[in-house]
Amino acid sequence: MNASPSHRPHPAEWTETQSLLPSAERDLPAGRHQFHKEQMMARIHEDLRTSSRTSSRTSSRTSATSPVAPVKRSNPFLRRTILLPAAALALAGAVAGGLALTDGGTQDDTTALATGPALTTRIGAADAKGAPQLLDRISLAAADTSAPTPRKGQYIYIASKVADTYIKTVGGKSEAVSNELHSRQVWNSLDGRDGWLIEAGETSDKGITLKSNVPFSGAYNALAGLPTDPAALLRKIYQESDAVRDPEVPRDQAAFVAIGDLLFESYPPAEVGAALYKAAAKIPGVVAVDDAVDATGRHGVAIARESDGERTEWIFDKKTLRFLGERVVVVKAKAGDLLKVGTVTHTSAITERAVVDANKQLPGQVS
């Protein structure tokens, strides 16, 4: 039975036996390692500042009966690596290697982050036949040109709520836990060379600067340069993702994740957004989901794809088909897996998306 904590709001679908504790103990938990990796990456290539999802959100989960092993999880603080130039990835990887950091993993006794029980949800029914029709409707909604076109010198502002589930090990005992649902604010210049990040519990209250000498794939200018023909766009996505993806990740899943990354913390021109959804309809294995819930509890329909027992879901408002957020849910698990069926390994919700006149300026503020 689902239950919500008495003193802290959470989506009704998250089964929690207690409230998520405040982030007080912070001796470099798994997420913190990724945050420090992000700071280093931001100095080399700003595209590694928002999520290292080249390997998608699929996981190699740790068995309760096996020795503690790394959990192959995506990094919620490093995004958009799918369409990066290979040279930039190589340079970033070399520096990151010097930090001896990994893309996720288990926590040991020295990484005692205060956390709550693993987030869980009801799994919506998937319909492969309904995906093309739903994506066609979403594409038409995305083609709406009423949103303002950014001008030179302006910034794209994205506010969201995010949370993740991982394996924590203390005293030799491993368990699935989730970090606290928290806010994230990102500013990006149109060329992607300048920006700012504030993430509760991961940066200071004032945030950190995001600067780069090269643009990143999710920047407005880069998105505006993408093909608007769905077939040509999908070919480009496959080509670029093949060059950087983890060999263990199927190329269709890598392409699906790449499109999702271009939709999340970005502001694509209407014709490009419409083309991205039409391109997604051409990826094998894509399904429609009748009900999914974002990080703030908003119900919607979803476009999803399953890989390695986890289903990545893009969630849309049922009426307007506006993009709400994304979640990754365990839909298949082997005996002894710590991440059970219904576990939400990642959840996010876009709460505001706007064009502002300056870096760190909030929507509605006068510059």
Side-chain angles (χ1 to χ4, degrees), residues 29-100:
R32 196 63 169 174
H33 276 291
Q34 305 302 348
F35 163 64
H36 286 300
K37 183 176 179 179
E38 176 185 27
Q39 289 184 303
M40 175 62 74
M41 293 300 192
R43 291 174 173 83
I44 305 169
H45 194 298
E46 82 342 285
D47 201 53
L48 292 177
R49 64 192 173 185
T50 46
S51 162
S52 170
R53 293 183 48 185
T54 307
S55 59
S56 91
R57 294 206 179 272
T58 57
S59 307
S60 296
R61 293 181 290 277
T62 302
S63 170
T65 59
S66 66
V68 174
V71 178
K72 287 180 65 65
R73 294 198 60 255
S74 62
N75 175 356
F77 309 116
L78 300 172
R79 292 180 184 271
R80 319 293 191 267
T81 61
I82 287 293
L83 302 181
L84 284 181
L89 283 170
L91 177 59
V95 176
L99 295 177

Side-chain angles (χ1 to χ4, degrees), residues 210-284:
L210 300 172
K211 287 187 178 294
S212 175
N213 293 325
V214 289
F216 77 106
S217 58
Y220 180 85
N221 291 351
L223 290 171
L226 290 176
T228 55
D229 175 73
L233 178 56
L234 187 59
R235 285 195 298 270
K236 179 177 179 60
I237 288 172
Y238 271 115
Q239 179 182 4
E240 299 295 340
S241 62
D242 282 346
V244 299
R245 68 181 172 89
D246 185 328
E248 295 182 7
V249 178
R251 68 190 304 262
D252 290 334
Q253 181 67 7
F256 184 79
V257 169
I259 293 175
D261 282 348
L262 293 177
L263 294 170
F264 185 71
E265 278 183 353
S266 65
Y267 189 91
E271 64 274 16
V272 174
L276 285 168
Y277 291 121
K278 289 183 177 180
K282 299 178 180 294
I283 299 176

Side-chain angles (χ1 to χ4, degrees), residues 264 294-295 298 313-316 322-327 348-350:
F264 185 71
D294 72 9
R298 297 177 297 191
E313 300 176 341
W314 307 336
I315 306 169
F316 302 86
R322 177 173 58 92
F323 180 79
L324 299 179
E326 182 186 64
R327 71 176 184 180
S348 65
I350 298 293

